[in-house]
Tab-separated table of all heavy atoms in Angstrom:
chain	number	residue	atom	x	y	z
A	1349	MET	N	108.619	113.629	108.469
A	1349	MET	CA	107.481	113.715	107.582
A	1349	MET	C	106.348	112.784	108.093
A	1349	MET	O	106.569	111.595	108.269
A	1349	MET	CB	107.800	113.347	106.150
A	1349	MET	CG	106.614	113.356	105.216
A	1349	MET	SD	106.987	112.775	103.529
A	1349	MET	CE	107.163	111.029	103.858
A	1350	ASN	N	105.159	113.336	108.345
A	1350	ASN	CA	104.046	112.522	108.758
A	1350	ASN	C	103.359	111.854	107.558
A	1350	ASN	O	103.117	112.483	106.540
A	1350	ASN	CB	103.028	113.344	109.536
A	1350	ASN	CG	103.466	113.673	110.924
A	1350	ASN	OD1	104.329	113.007	111.470
A	1350	ASN	ND2	102.837	114.658	111.550
A	1351	LEU	N	103.122	110.553	107.667
A	1351	LEU	CA	102.429	109.822	106.617
A	1351	LEU	C	100.911	110.028	106.771
A	1351	LEU	O	100.435	110.419	107.847
A	1351	LEU	CB	102.774	108.356	106.736
A	1351	LEU	CG	104.261	107.974	106.477
A	1351	LEU	CD1	104.456	106.510	106.883
A	1351	LEU	CD2	104.630	108.176	105.027
A	1352	PRO	N	100.157	109.688	105.673
A	1352	PRO	CA	98.711	109.690	105.815
A	1352	PRO	C	98.344	108.725	106.953
A	1352	PRO	O	99.017	107.685	107.120
A	1352	PRO	CB	98.220	109.190	104.466
A	1352	PRO	CG	99.317	109.547	103.507
A	1352	PRO	CD	100.601	109.413	104.314
A	1380	ASP	N	107.604	107.368	114.991
A	1380	ASP	CA	106.775	108.420	115.552
A	1380	ASP	C	106.031	109.239	114.513
A	1380	ASP	O	105.354	110.194	114.830
A	1380	ASP	CB	107.577	109.323	116.477
A	1380	ASP	CG	108.752	110.014	115.755
A	1380	ASP	OD1	108.846	109.909	114.517
A	1380	ASP	OD2	109.573	110.613	116.459
A	1381	SER	N	106.207	108.891	113.185
A	1381	SER	CA	105.474	109.601	112.144
A	1381	SER	C	104.109	108.988	111.879
A	1381	SER	O	103.306	109.535	111.114
A	1381	SER	CB	106.286	109.608	110.859
A	1381	SER	OG	106.487	108.284	110.362
A	1382	PHE	N	103.812	107.836	112.519
A	1382	PHE	CA	102.536	107.147	112.289
A	1382	PHE	C	101.361	107.855	113.015
A	1382	PHE	O	101.515	108.263	114.191
A	1382	PHE	CB	102.605	105.677	112.780
A	1382	PHE	CG	103.561	104.837	112.011
A	1382	PHE	CD1	104.285	105.288	110.967
A	1382	PHE	CD2	103.719	103.505	112.386
A	1382	PHE	CE1	105.166	104.491	110.239
A	1382	PHE	CE2	104.572	102.666	111.670
A	1382	PHE	CZ	105.304	103.174	110.623
A	1383	ASN	N	100.247	107.968	112.316
A	1383	ASN	CA	99.031	108.457	112.910
A	1383	ASN	C	97.873	107.503	112.553
A	1383	ASN	O	97.932	106.859	111.515
A	1383	ASN	CB	98.710	109.877	112.390
A	1383	ASN	CG	99.705	110.905	112.805
A	1383	ASN	OD1	99.669	111.404	113.912
A	1383	ASN	ND2	100.645	111.235	111.939
A	1674	LEU	N	102.685	103.002	101.996
A	1674	LEU	CA	102.272	104.378	101.802
A	1674	LEU	C	103.467	105.279	101.473
A	1674	LEU	O	103.402	106.084	100.527
A	1674	LEU	CB	101.604	104.899	103.071
A	1674	LEU	CG	100.181	104.376	103.339
A	1674	LEU	CD1	99.692	104.867	104.683
A	1674	LEU	CD2	99.213	104.805	102.283
A	1675	GLU	N	104.506	105.131	102.219
A	1675	GLU	CA	105.680	105.963	102.001
A	1675	GLU	C	106.308	105.766	100.645
A	1675	GLU	O	106.775	106.708	100.015
A	1675	GLU	CB	106.742	105.605	103.075
A	1675	GLU	CG	107.955	106.519	103.118
A	1675	GLU	CD	108.914	106.161	104.211
A	1675	GLU	OE1	108.933	104.986	104.666
A	1675	GLU	OE2	109.639	107.067	104.677
A	1677	LYS	N	104.633	104.742	97.980
A	1677	LYS	CA	103.605	104.946	96.937
A	1677	LYS	C	103.356	103.697	96.098
A	1677	LYS	O	103.560	103.689	94.884
A	1677	LYS	CB	103.973	106.153	96.082
A	1677	LYS	CG	104.140	107.430	96.861
A	1677	LYS	CD	104.432	108.597	95.971
A	1677	LYS	CE	104.681	109.868	96.776
A	1677	LYS	NZ	103.619	110.260	97.677
Side-chain angles (χ1 to χ4, degrees):
M1349 178 185 72
N1350 283 342
L1351 295 170
D1380 59 9
S1381 61
F1382 293 0
N1383 294 280
L1674 286 174
E1675 186 177 27
K1677 302 184 184 302

